Amino acid sequence: MESDAAKLEQLKRSWTFTFYFENDLFVNLDSNYTNGVKFSWLSPDLLSYAESRQLPKWTHQFIEYLPFIHKPGNIRNVALSLGQNMYTPKDITIPTLQVNDRPYAGWLNFGIGFHSRSARQLDVVELSLGVIGPLSFTEESQDFVHRVRDINRPKGWDHQLKNEPAINLFWERRHRIFEYGLGHGLGFDMLGGYGAAMGNVAIFAKVTGEMRAGYNLPIDFGTSTIRFGGDTSAPSSPDDPRLSRGKSRFGIYAFAGGDARGIARDIFLDGNTFRDSHSVDKEYFVGSFSCGLSAIYGSWKATYAHVRRMRQFELQENYSVYGSISISYSY
């Protein structure tokens, strides 16, 4: 049986890689938020490895000056991500501007996040840099996929948002409110949190909650879809089943959660910041609900979430619905 010291040493050295894929074709739709792809990497712990050469030394010094994440005794990590998001109106076969529906928009983004965690709390500060508009190559992505699958080709991308640098800062705090039996046998827990974003992409404040129940629950900070400050699926305790070398490296659980947002800006609805573009009247308060299943086997974790989001603009006919798949590997 593996010792606690060995599992703690593995946790300290562990990188976590996650791939996300989201699409509304999972629910037989093709509109609104229609596709997202993201790759992310979460570094080993930086508290015990402050002199490690795995990350540049200047990053350690920079982290010390960031708000929220330098509480003494907390473990720190760095997260890097690269992603592309796609937004379209309901009918992509119409070549003319659809003034009553949301704009075509693409977003190519790179994120650098800093995590600080204790056993029951996680703080994330993330800076997102990228571009919105034709330089995001989202039109080409959708056209390629639809051509390969021999389905309706999009015809309205001439009316997409114009090129604009995309800069956003995000902070979130997650709490483990209660727990029972995490990491071994039957268990459940409840997570809650709140956060805020500021930038030309989005300005909002939000609250979140999630409940999980199942067998050998991983000891992390819950389910993450493609969003600011994601990457919450990495092991956060040496008792996480993914760090065990014994027979308890399999787990499965169900989850349900949601968030509520107060939104001051959403560039994908409000349009370009500095140039005239198509826009619609957004809703200022939006909620979403998700549920699904997650399984772990060895160092792998796979999740499927069904996401339903309230109407985001005044003339939107139906809720936005899509499926989200994520696969994580800790090594």
Side-chain angles (χ1 to χ4, degrees), residues 122-287:
L122 171 69
D123 280 289
V124 178
V125 174
E126 180 179 281
L127 176 65
S128 175
L129 303 172
V131 64
I132 288 167
L135 286 177
S136 69
F137 300 107
T138 314
E139 175 185 0
E140 290 81 358
S141 297
Q142 187 176 45
D143 188 71
F144 171 77
V145 171
H146 283 229
R147 186 170 63 251
V148 169
R149 299 185 70 238
D150 193 25
I151 56 179
N152 289 333
R153 303 278 291 277
K155 297 180 179 179
W157 278 100
D158 287 345
H159 308 290
Q160 69 173 300
L161 299 187
K162 300 174 177 66
N163 285 323
E164 178 174 329
I167 304 173
N168 237 83
L169 186 64
F170 175 80
W171 165 75
E172 182 179 32
R173 173 168 292 172
R174 286 197 166 198
H175 296 275
R176 196 181 311 282
I177 299 172
F178 66 78
E179 63 184 74
Y180 173 80
L182 292 189
H184 55 87
L186 296 177
F188 61 89
D189 68 355
M190 181 175 181
L191 301 163
Y194 42 89
M198 178 69 69
N200 67 314
V201 180
I203 301 173
F204 63 80
K206 71 170 187 173
V207 294
T208 66
E210 181 181 356
M211 296 192 69
R212 310 186 298 174
Y215 176 74
N216 279 358
L217 262 70
I219 307 176
D220 54 27
F221 283 90
T223 308
S224 179
T225 55
I226 295 178
R227 59 179 179 82
F228 290 121
D231 308 312
T232 56
S233 293
S236 62
S237 166
D239 294 321
D240 190 292
R242 288 168 287 182
L243 301 180
S244 171
R245 298 301 181 190
K247 297 181 179 179
S248 60
R249 303 195 74 194
F250 169 78
I252 187 167
Y253 65 91
F255 61 87
D259 68 42
R261 301 187 181 195
I263 303 169
R265 174 162 178 77
D266 181 342
I267 194 171
F268 306 112
L269 301 173
D270 292 321
N272 284 105
T273 311
F274 310 108
R275 304 167 66 182
D276 290 334
S277 67
H278 177 41
S279 64
V280 291
D281 294 328
K282 70 174 180 294
E283 298 287 355
Y284 288 93
F285 297 95
V286 176

Side-chain angles (χ1 to χ4, degrees), residues 98-113:
Q98 301 178 59
V99 295
N100 293 326
D101 208 338
R102 68 180 305 148
Y104 282 85
W107 179 28
L108 184 66
N109 56 85
F110 168 77
I112 178 167

Side-chain angles (χ1 to χ4, degrees), residues 36-50:
V37 177
K38 178 181 174 182
F39 301 86
S40 72
W41 298 263
L42 188 69
S43 79
D45 296 344
L46 298 183
L47 179 62
S48 300
Y49 284 75

